[in-house]
Amino acid sequence: MTGDTDFDAVVIGAGFAGLYALKKLRDDLSMTVRVYEAGDGVGGTWYWNRYPGARCDSESFYYCYSFSPELAQEWEWSGRYPEQPEIERYVNHVADRFELRRDIQLSTRVTAATFDESANRWEIRTDRGDAVTARFLVTAVGCLSAPNVPDLPGMDEFQGEIYFTATWPREGVDFTGKRVGLIGTGSSGIQATPRIAAEAARLTVFQRTPNFSIPARHSAFLPEDQAKIKENYEDIFAATRTSWAGFPYAPIKRATASVSADEREEILEGLWGEGGFKFLWGGFHDLLLDAEANEIASEFIRRKIRETVKDPDTAELLCPKGYPYGAKRPPIDTDYYETFNRENVTLVDISTAPIEAITTAGLRTTAADYEFDALVFATGFDAMTGTLLRIDIRGADGVRLADAWADGPRTLLGLQVAGFPNMFTITGPGSPSVLVNMPVAIEHHVEWIADCIEYMRERGWTRLEATEEAQDAWVEHVAEVAKQSLFGRANSWYVGANIPGKPRVVMPYTGGQPMYRERCDAVSSSGYEGFKFG
Ligand code: NAP
């Protein structure tokens, strides 16, 4: 690491996005790049979220980089859904293989970034006292990286141990013989529940909203599975780039209502049996467009929950009602519902009796007091905007990003923000981002950004910025498309509903990857219509 203070680009974050941005800008565009990473290792999400049971919800062979055929051939995935340590090893391998570490400063959080109009450069400050400048600021902060810590009275008074799934201790936690209270039943809570239940003396799960979870059906790869995947990588990766959500399979083109009840049942059973996201993205194409079609799939899942969970009251509590399947990001699980058949596991409904306070001995709901040795918060993230807004980002004329986004995020293509020249937001709000298999969305953005920078450099330009008009039109389009789907019909983090006071806006672009990529291509091939250069 050099002591340089002026870079062509500063990248914030060394997760999947930051690592590829560094490689692309440094190695393909010969730019000087500095990456700042808050963690003391690379991996982003896969560095921080090391709670028991943390594993990828997408299958290994397409939740990975596609930019290097050599990398794809040499890396061996152990099975369908790798656990966190395996993915962390993979990102570390990528960092070593492409000699990325020398340009990454770990354990350093970017605290402020200000655009200097006179120089067309960003001034960046960190919590370690760094003060550097860069022509381009590339945010690779992840969509789910600012933990949501509920504002409950008494958090400091609890005498036991408190853990957050989003910042799990590196050394792990031994719950043997302990009474554990777990708050939150999103993907993290649903993955952690079976593992903690298997170890702890007692586990009490506090559920505010039940989720529709699909079994992962993890299995280890045999050597012949790996060989087949490696032979087919080119086709697999090509399919991920053209599909709606970045997965190598297509939805069923027929409308749910046009299929007989018997055939529908057979199809849903088949998808349930296969497991994973195929139920969402490889099922009927109208699942997230038509409320009645959605209800058929939703009721199918409820039936599976009722068949699995032996106690009828617990089963009913676990059955989601009142919102469509998929409108909240659906979890993928291993033995989640089965875990509620264990003697040592209890489900507590906090939708009717919310948590009032954390106490010295445990927690209190409006209905009862509970005692625990350890509390686990699986309460999610201030998604998509939280991490960016926790940095003091000021654009042209000193405008704060927090003010520009006071009524919800505004971007052009989720890649740029009007008034914030030379800043690119990888998988920013207004792009498909979290609705797409993340590495696929990330690679697309990094490559688009690199092309845009190259276009500027060829012309000797030093400043680019989204125009207000183009941004307004895009924000309107994003909202319009969202209205045609069911995504706005749940209180999910997609709409900011999990964070008190956050403006309710459908943040990801819900038009799907093909339509989005077409737009991005049209913009770049038209000489970046909607952007102004200088
Ligand atoms: P999440 O989906 O937002 O779930 C948070 C849970 O905590 C919800 O059940 C929520 O209830 C509850 N909660 C939040 N604040 C609360 C409060 N004050 N009192 C009581 N309950 C509260 O968060 P997550 O499980 O960490 O998952 C976030 C996202 O990360 C996922 O949707 C997914 O995209 C990603 N993720 C991916 C993987 C993977 O691929 N393997 C694994 C984990 C997470 P409400 O539903 O009522 O708000």
Side-chain angles (χ1 to χ4, degrees):
M1 174 94 32
T2 66
D4 293 344
T5 54
D6 299 303
F7 300 93
D8 293 327
V10 157
V11 175
I12 311 177
F16 265 81
L19 293 181
Y20 185 41
L22 167 57
K23 164 146 182 35
K24 188 85 192 157
L25 300 183
R26 186 193 69 183
D27 297 350
D28 294 1
L29 269 61
S30 305
M31 293 168 70
T32 56
V33 183
R34 164 70 50 89
V35 179
Y36 291 112
E37 165 55 53
D40 68 4
V42 300
T45 265
W46 299 106
Y47 167 88
W48 295 104
N49 291 271
R50 45 182 85 235
Y51 57 84
R55 69 163 81 234
C56 194
D57 281 348
S58 302
E59 287 165 287
S60 53
F61 55 98
Y62 50 84
Y63 188 95
C64 58
Y65 291 114
S66 73
F67 69 80
S68 163
E70 298 77 21
L71 170 67
Q73 288 303 320
E74 74 200 15
W75 184 262
E76 298 268 304
W77 290 111
S78 67
R80 276 183 86 179
Y81 300 97
E83 292 210 43
Q84 176 273 337
E86 186 170 348
I87 307 177
E88 195 186 14
R89 279 199 300 281
Y90 172 74
V91 266
N92 275 280
H93 169 73
V94 170
D96 291 332
R97 192 192 188 288
F98 297 104
E99 298 178 19
L100 301 177
R101 292 188 199 278
R102 66 173 189 266
D103 295 304
I104 303 171
Q105 186 172 314
L106 297 172
S107 307
T108 308
R109 189 174 284 280
V110 171
T111 51
T114 306
F115 188 68
D116 173 3
E117 292 257 31
S118 62
N120 284 341
R121 294 182 72 82
W122 282 92
E123 295 171 350
I124 294 114
R125 291 180 181 277
T126 76
D127 64 352
R128 297 260 302 262
D130 303 277
V132 302
T133 76
R135 171 75 66 220
F136 296 101
L137 178 65
V138 180
T139 69
V141 296
C143 296
L144 294 151
S145 43
N148 168 37
V149 179
D151 184 16
L152 289 167
M155 282 291 258
D156 297 336
E157 283 156 37
F158 181 56
Q159 297 296 300
E161 305 150 27
I162 292 196
Y163 301 103
F164 296 88
T165 50
T167 50
W168 202 259
R170 226 169 212 278
E171 62 281 9
V173 178
D174 184 2
F175 289 114
T176 311
K178 296 199 168 134
R179 298 162 305 164
V180 182
L182 183 146
I183 300 149
T185 52
S187 299
S188 305
I190 281 178
Q191 287 187 334
T193 289
R195 289 291 176 87
I196 297 176
E199 199 173 279
R202 286 218 59 79
L203 174 66
T204 307
V205 177
F206 293 89
Q207 171 188 275
R208 189 163 70 179
T209 312
N211 240 311
F212 292 98
S213 189
I214 303 293
R217 309 217 186 276
H218 172 71
S219 58
F221 284 148
L222 300 169
E224 53 267 38
D225 299 328
Q226 280 172 342
K228 195 165 160 218
I229 287 166
K230 288 188 178 184
E231 265 167 41
N232 288 301
Y233 258 135
E234 222 172 290
D235 292 343
I236 293 167
F237 291 149
T240 64
R241 291 184 201 116
T242 50
S243 67
W244 198 97
F247 294 90
Y249 39 74
I252 299 162
K253 291 215 172 76
R254 288 179 295 167
T256 308
S258 71
V259 175
S260 73
D262 284 353
E263 197 187 345
R264 266 191 326 238
E265 182 67 14
E266 199 181 317
I267 289 170
L268 292 173
E269 274 294 349
L271 292 167
W272 184 265
E274 271 189 72
F277 271 136
K278 205 162 181 191
F279 195 92
L280 181 68
W281 300 122
F284 293 104
H285 80 95
D286 54 0
L287 180 72
L288 284 158
L289 298 172
D290 177 341
E292 283 175 30
N294 190 287
E295 181 52 24
I296 289 169
S298 298
E299 190 50 31
F300 177 89
I301 301 172
R302 288 187 207 109
R303 205 178 73 220
K304 290 291 180 192
I305 297 171
R306 291 180 185 119
E307 282 169 12
T308 308
V309 179
K310 293 195 180 119
D311 174 57
D313 293 339
T314 305
E316 223 35 54
L317 264 185
L318 285 164
C319 282
K321 288 161 202 133
Y323 73 90
Y325 167 65
K328 269 169 116 71
R329 198 289 210 165
I332 308 295
D333 73 274
T334 301
D335 295 336
Y336 177 63
Y337 295 117
E338 290 80 351
T339 298
F340 291 94
N341 293 332
R342 293 177 64 107
E343 286 294 320
N344 68 336
V345 177
T346 313
L347 182 69
V348 175
D349 173 24
I350 50 170
S351 69
T352 47
I355 299 173
E356 264 184 352
I358 305 301
T359 60
T360 51
L363 65 78
R364 187 169 62 243
T365 70
T366 52
D369 272 287
Y370 298 84
E371 290 189 3
F372 298 112
D373 303 305
L375 281 174
V376 175
F377 285 86
T379 43
F381 302 88
D382 184 351
M384 303 204 66
T385 55
T387 314
L388 285 175
L389 296 182
R390 288 177 193 191
I391 303 170
D392 183 8
I393 298 178
R394 291 167 194 252
D397 303 325
V399 173
R400 291 168 66 234
L401 186 64
D403 291 332
W405 285 6
D407 297 326
R410 301 185 71 76
T411 68
L412 177 52
L413 297 170
L415 275 158
Q416 270 252 329
V417 184
F420 295 79
N422 295 2
M423 179 176 91
F424 292 103
T425 48
I426 301 178
T427 63
S431 75
S433 57
V434 292
L435 297 180
V436 171
N437 177 24
M438 285 313 291
V440 180
I442 285 167
E443 286 189 341
H444 173 244
H445 266 192
V446 169
E447 285 157 20
W448 193 95
I449 291 166
D451 287 348
C452 181
I453 291 176
E454 187 61 1
Y455 180 84
M456 286 176 69
R457 296 203 319 176
E458 280 165 3
R459 288 159 181 77
W461 294 338
T462 57
R463 173 175 168 137
L464 102 151
E465 186 180 355
T467 67
E468 289 284 356
E469 305 73 55
Q471 179 171 280
D472 288 350
W474 181 251
V475 170
E476 203 177 303
H477 172 68
V478 172
E480 200 47 49
V481 175
K483 275 191 221 147
Q484 293 159 25
S485 74
L486 305 178
F487 282 106
R489 298 208 194 167
N491 292 325
S492 71
W493 58 256
Y494 290 152
V495 301
N498 62 328
I499 303 296
K502 191 164 171 171
R504 190 179 178 110
V505 175
V506 178
M507 292 184 285
Y509 178 59
T510 56
Q513 212 193 187
M515 207 152 98
Y516 176 75
R517 285 191 181 221
E518 218 172 89
R519 284 282 188 132
C520 290
D521 289 348
V523 167
S524 50
S525 57
S526 67
Y528 295 90
E529 198 185 338
F531 292 87
K532 55 186 181 215
F533 294 93

